Amino acid sequence: MRNAPTILHLDMDAFYASVEQASKPSLRGKAVVVGGLGPRGVVATASYEARAFGVHSAMPMAQARRLAPHAAYLVPRFSLYRSVSEQVMTLLRALSPLVEPLSLDEAFVDLAASGAATDAESARRTGARLRADIRAVTGLTGSVGLAASKMLAKIASERAKPDGLVLIEPGTERALLGPLPVRTLPGVGPATGDHLRRAGITTVGELAEAGEDELVRLLGKAQGGALYAMALAHDERPVVAEREAKSVSVEDTYDVDIHDRPRIGLEVRRLADRCVRRLREAGLSGRTIVLKVRRYDFSTLTRSETLRGPTDDPAVVREAAERLLDSVDTTGGVRLLGVGVSGLADYTQEDLFAQASSRAEPAPEEAAAEPVAVPREPVLPHWRAGQDVRHAEHGHGWVQGSGVGRVTVRFETPQSPPGRIRTFLVTDPALEPADPLPLVPTAPAPSPTPGLPATP
């Protein structure tokens, strides 16, 4: 293990909810819950104000509403979260070539790889400057942990929350870890924690006292040996630069089970198109198409088809997904559908376009059937809580709620004071969906972090 706290762990504070509060001035300082709003929705993130009522991530949304009935409940805006995340990751990459993202809002950084920090003092300065840069560029706060290993850096960032910095000095690790619960260590989940508790082991200090032989007997050689090493504060895992994606996938969970087979096919085609958009945004293509179906009884089926070469053609992916759907019995209904692409590459193979069977031109002698006009009822716009909108007269705003043919909008921007609320018919032609506005309109370029050479 290192002799200096040069591994940094950044964890943005209540990231999704904080982005929503920064974007919507009327929600700042108030309870905000982000997640699926349907009957089967779950909480993705809760603001610290909502956490005070007991709301937490992965909680069923219905339970969250009972605990915090007056909170603002919003749908996620992942395009905005990804944009803000990329701003943060750009700041981290300016510190070091070794950045290991764990999610949109969390990453490890090896400060020693670039010389950004060589000792406790320079590490603390670098961490403090990073937090200031993140606030200047995004308007958000992040918590920073600094230590000589990844495990301890993550523990430090947890202790720093919210909006703080904690540095663990080398030599103090054992004293810090001793009284902590065993669930603090990576790899100790509920099942392992219960198994250790039944053996009388509840703290990290008791893990160390138990000894390696006893832990191997209880948990097996691999896990027992690894936990004993971590209980002694030994963690040699390096910071690994960004790993290449192994797959790209999208999925949707439906509030009500879908029984209609044509509707299921339509959803699969829509998911295939979304998946291809993500592929193209990442500059990738793939060979294996995967369909995921969770049925009414919670049984989950996956089917896959491997093509002759990589593709990012939506027709090819769409048709492969439809062929896979043909092999799945959806009797009784489905509650979740997903489409993914694996076997990724950074090029496409043009002859794969021939696999799109439905694109074949009809023979000249075949008469084209006349389309039959089927009258349909008009589809009303669907406005979702938290969605960005623009009104021709009132400007930019966001949906507070909708129902009974009406939609309520609060008109405000990230830089405005809390805005006024107005209600419209859901069919109002002056109201339309809009893209999110940047949290900080003109982000200043951060000054060089101490310890790093200035850019010439």
Side-chain angles (χ1 to χ4, degrees):
M1 203 162 75
R2 305 181 183 200
N3 56 12
T6 54
I7 293 181
L8 179 148
H9 181 258
L10 170 72
D11 196 351
M12 299 296 290
D13 299 321
F15 183 54
Y16 297 171
S18 294
V19 170
E20 297 298 342
Q21 289 176 319
S23 178
K24 301 172 171 66
S26 58
L27 297 184
R28 292 170 190 169
K30 298 182 179 178
V32 174
V33 181
V34 179
L37 303 187
R40 294 172 178 165
V42 297
V43 175
T45 305
S47 69
Y48 286 97
E49 295 85 356
R51 294 180 191 187
F53 294 95
V55 180
H56 58 78
S57 61
M59 171 182 286
M61 191 63 78
Q63 182 181 356
R65 289 183 184 275
R66 290 193 295 269
L67 292 172
H70 302 297
Y73 290 86
L74 309 174
V75 295
R77 297 186 294 163
F78 287 110
S79 63
L80 178 59
Y81 306 153
R82 283 192 290 268
S83 173
V84 177
S85 173
E86 187 53 39
Q87 290 178 299
V88 173
M89 295 301 166
T90 297
L91 292 173
L92 297 183
R93 295 185 194 105
L95 291 179
S96 171
L98 291 183
V99 175
E100 183 178 343
L102 304 179
S103 62
L104 289 177
D105 61 336
E106 186 181 0
F108 287 110
V109 184
D110 187 340
L111 300 178
S114 62
T118 56
D119 55 22
E121 182 180 355
S122 59
R124 190 183 297 276
R125 286 200 309 267
T126 300
R129 192 51 169 274
L130 172 65
R131 293 179 58 238
D133 289 346
I134 289 172
R135 186 185 289 273
V137 170
T138 68
L140 305 178
T141 63
S143 296
V144 167
L146 293 155
S149 70
K150 290 169 69 173
M151 177 186 73
L152 291 164
K154 185 170 175 61
I155 291 172
S157 69
E158 284 295 322
R159 295 169 70 89
K161 282 188 165 296
D163 190 21
L165 183 152
V166 168
L167 183 148
I168 298 176
E169 293 277 1
T172 66
E173 297 94 347
R174 291 284 301 276
L176 171 73
L177 286 175
L180 298 180
V182 292
R183 289 285 303 275
T184 303
L185 299 181
V188 181
T192 301
D194 287 344
H195 191 52
L196 291 170
R197 179 179 53 79
R198 288 193 294 270
I201 299 172
T202 60
T203 68
V204 177
E206 290 168 348
L207 269 179
E209 291 173 7
E212 185 172 10
D213 291 343
E214 175 65 9
L215 295 179
V216 168
R217 185 186 69 79
L218 288 170
L219 304 172
K221 185 174 182 179
Q223 188 176 21
L227 283 185
Y228 180 68
M230 286 189 286
L232 298 179
H234 297 161
D235 178 18
E236 302 297 338
R237 294 174 300 159
V239 175
V240 180
E242 295 185 64
R243 298 179 178 89
E244 293 184 1
K246 295 182 179 179
S247 65
V248 173
S249 63
V250 297
E251 62 182 42
D252 277 343
T253 301
Y254 303 100
D255 296 339
V256 179
D257 291 348
I258 303 176
H259 295 82
D260 182 56
R261 186 73 180 195
R263 165 79 189 285
I264 294 173
L266 180 64
E267 290 295 318
V268 166
R269 291 192 293 274
R270 184 178 61 82
L271 288 166
D273 289 343
R274 279 174 53 195
C275 185
V276 169
R277 283 198 296 273
R278 288 195 180 181
L279 271 179
R280 290 183 168 181
E281 287 172 0
L284 297 170
S285 59
R287 297 182 65 237
T288 301
I289 314 303
V290 180
L291 175 71
K292 177 179 177 182
V293 179
R294 181 165 298 149
R295 299 190 292 191
Y296 70 98
D297 60 356
F298 286 90
S299 61
T300 302
L301 305 175
T302 58
R303 299 287 186 269
S304 64
E305 176 181 320
T306 299
L307 308 175
R308 294 193 301 270
T311 184
D312 66 352
D313 179 35
V316 173
V317 176
R318 208 161 40 230
E319 292 176 10
E322 289 180 301
R323 287 193 296 273
L324 295 170
L325 178 63
D326 289 340
S327 66
V328 177
D329 179 11
T330 59
T331 304
V334 300
R335 57 189 296 120
L336 177 146
L337 291 168
V339 174
V341 178
S342 60
L344 301 182
D346 57 2
Y347 66 94
T348 59
Q349 193 163 304
E350 296 298 327
D351 63 4
L352 283 174
F353 295 157
Q355 295 193 42
S357 57
S358 66
R359 297 166 72 189
E361 295 292 332
E365 64 273 13
E366 293 178 351
E370 289 292 331
V372 178
V374 178
R376 294 185 179 181
E377 294 184 4
V379 179
L380 296 179
H382 182 55
W383 304 106
R384 303 184 302 163
Q387 176 183 354
D388 291 276
V389 295
R390 176 167 291 280
H391 191 275
E393 179 182 351
H394 303 292
H396 190 92
W398 58 277
V399 175
Q400 281 204 322
S402 65
V404 200
R406 296 183 180 275
V407 56
T408 300
V409 178
R410 185 183 286 272
F411 291 97
E412 60 187 5
T413 69
Q415 287 74 49
S416 75
R420 298 187 61 182
I421 298 173
R422 297 183 183 274
T423 300
F424 309 91
L425 294 174
V426 295
T427 55
D428 191 326
L431 190 67
E432 61 182 4
D435 292 328
L437 298 177
L439 303 185
V440 178
T442 53
S447 54
T449 303
L452 287 179
T455 303

